[in-house]
Amino acid sequence: MSKVFRELLKKVGSGTHTGEDLSREEAAQATRMMLVGEATPAQIGAFMIAHRIKRPTGEELAGMLDAYDELGPKLQPCDRFKSEVVVLGIPYDGRSRTAPIGPLTALILTAAGVPVIMHGGDRMPTKEGLPLVDIWQGLGIDWTKLSLAQTQQVFESTGLGFVYLPQHFHLAAEFVSYRDQIGKRPPFSTMELMWCPYAGDAHIVSGFVHPPTENMFRDAFALRGTQHFTTVKGLEGSGDLPRDRTAIIGIAKPDAPFERLHLAHNDYGFSNKNPSLDSTAELIEQVQSVLQGKPSEMMQSAIWNGGFYLWNSGVSPDMHSGISEATALLTSGQVVKKLQEIRKTVASFQIVSV
């Protein structure tokens, strides 16, 4: 048993009156010790649930991110990219009620020349919702068999990369069993929304549900010197803009004050209906229909989100232009062409490996 870790555990697990927050350095040390197995399983489980009850601070999240940066994988910059890389952070435990729009957003952005990185794993506690990797597999793209070097080549060639935890960051993937056993999301589930598995300058998009979480994002990003990020009070904690309520968004850019943005769907001609998630098969059919340019509620959500992210990424000068550009990319076949390009590139590595 690690005596050093025990002391860190005592700080966060001593209750309301005597418990203490960890410093950034202590949080990094604790995370590192859990990742590499210097802490025992009992200590890891105890830390996760104690920290869940205490609630993390921005400083602690910054330390956790420091450890992930030190031990985790990173895709490398590519000179051919003209736009800043967008890293889309979503809850790893997936979606259960509303249809995920993220893969369509990623395809729209990459079709417009904006490189995108996504990350995640398989079905994960506590929600056990539909993960991104299953959606991509339904679209004919299997990220699970690629090495990090192969993923890097796909990223450089197509502009899209996916860091798959069980393959690329097994130390973090081993935390899944603890999540299952404690039955609650640990602080790492918040930190993952901010993680950037990219070695260059990036524009990080972090979804959230509760306003205090956004404040923790901002504190942690400030400590780490992250100047370009977007926060979205999105569907089920993702970066997907809702259509049943005003979208609450925070935008931070280098050398500019934090900007609060409220986007009302009806101001742009969209209805107030979010496509529901009924089954993976039905979702894939809906996405394929959008890629074929067919009108639907899913198409409306794809345009709504695509329009915002094209504007937010600097491709379009304003929201209205972004919506027009997203519509054109989808209906002209450019987005489905990008999907086919990515599918072909990923398949080429799998053929070689066989």
Side-chain angles (χ1 to χ4, degrees):
M1 178 175 65
S2 170
K3 294 182 179 179
V4 173
F5 190 87
R6 185 172 60 182
E7 293 305 309
L8 297 172
L9 176 58
K10 284 170 64 177
K11 289 190 71 172
V12 299
S14 294
T16 304
H17 300 293
T18 59
E20 301 177 59
D21 296 329
L22 299 179
S23 68
R24 177 177 175 178
E25 293 73 19
E26 288 173 329
Q29 182 182 28
T31 303
R32 191 181 306 112
M33 294 178 75
M34 286 186 281
L35 286 170
V36 301
E38 291 181 12
T40 68
Q43 288 177 325
I44 294 173
F47 183 92
M48 286 187 177
I49 197 65
H51 210 229
R52 160 81 186 196
I53 294 170
K54 181 190 80 67
R55 301 295 185 183
T57 64
E59 184 172 359
E60 289 171 332
L61 291 172
M64 293 176 181
L65 287 166
D66 291 343
Y68 266 55
D69 279 351
E70 176 187 342
L71 299 173
K74 286 184 180 292
L75 294 178
Q76 301 300 310
C78 176
D79 292 339
R80 79 172 188 86
F81 295 147
K82 306 303 180 186
S83 298
E84 190 173 34
V85 171
V86 173
V87 178
L88 297 176
I90 69 160
Y92 282 1
D93 58 3
R95 297 281 277 277
S96 60
R97 303 185 306 276
T98 55
I101 312 299
L104 282 167
T105 300
L107 290 171
I108 290 170
L109 286 175
T110 52
V114 179
V116 174
I117 293 174
M118 307 181 92
H119 50 95
D122 300 316
R123 287 191 181 265
M124 190 177 296
T126 55
K127 186 188 292 185
E128 299 282 356
L130 178 64
L132 285 174
V133 69
D134 285 11
I135 302 171
W136 286 116
Q137 286 177 330
L139 295 173
I141 298 173
D142 187 358
W143 297 101
T144 68
K145 303 296 192 299
L146 299 183
S147 66
L148 188 64
Q150 290 170 332
T151 301
Q152 176 74 34
Q153 292 181 59
V154 175
F155 176 57
E156 292 179 0
S157 175
T158 69
L160 182 65
F162 190 97
V163 175
Y164 176 59
L165 260 67
Q167 180 80 337
H168 305 142
F169 196 8
H170 65 91
L171 295 178
E174 289 178 1
F175 280 170
V176 174
S177 63
Y178 293 98
R179 296 183 184 206
D180 186 33
Q181 293 172 49
I182 67 175
K184 290 288 185 180
R185 289 190 181 101
F188 296 108
S189 63
T190 301
M191 181 273 299
E192 288 158 353
L193 301 169
M194 313 164 61
W195 182 43
C196 179
Y198 178 66
D201 293 333
H203 171 191
I204 303 172
V205 178
S206 300
F208 70 95
V209 175
H210 306 295
T213 302
E214 186 193 36
N215 292 331
M216 289 188 287
F217 288 164
R218 293 177 62 183
D219 291 344
F221 281 140
L223 286 168
R224 287 174 49 82
T226 301
Q227 295 187 322
H228 196 182
F229 63 89
T230 297
T231 61
V232 181
K233 185 174 170 57
L235 296 174
E236 298 185 54
S238 73
D240 292 349
L241 272 62
R243 286 168 51 203
D244 60 343
R245 56 177 169 80
T246 297
I248 301 174
I249 298 161
I251 298 176
K253 295 181 179 180
D255 305 316
F258 186 78
E259 178 184 359
R260 176 65 69 206
L261 185 64
H262 295 87
L263 289 180
H265 51 87
N266 54 330
D267 288 347
Y268 297 91
F270 294 95
S271 71
N272 64 347
K273 184 176 181 180
N274 297 314
S276 63
L277 176 60
D278 298 313
S279 71
T280 304
E282 289 180 69
L283 173 70
I284 298 304
E285 287 182 8
Q286 292 172 337
V287 172
Q288 294 285 15
S289 176
V290 171
L291 294 171
Q292 293 165 15
K294 297 178 181 179
S296 65
E297 292 294 346
M298 180 72 85
M299 172 67 88
Q300 292 301 298
S301 284
I303 293 172
W304 174 232
N305 279 271
F308 167 71
Y309 282 106
L310 288 170
W311 170 36
N312 193 35
S313 300
V315 173
S316 303
D318 53 53
M319 186 67 180
H320 287 289
S321 300
I323 289 170
S324 297
E325 179 68 12
T327 303
L329 288 167
L330 286 164
T331 56
S332 68
Q334 289 176 263
V335 176
V336 73
K337 183 179 179 181
K338 173 57 71 171
L339 173 65
Q340 292 166 348
E341 175 194 352
I342 299 167
R343 184 188 294 156
K344 182 178 179 181
T345 306
V346 170
S348 69
F349 289 112
Q350 292 164 346
I351 292 171
V352 170
S353 64
V354 171

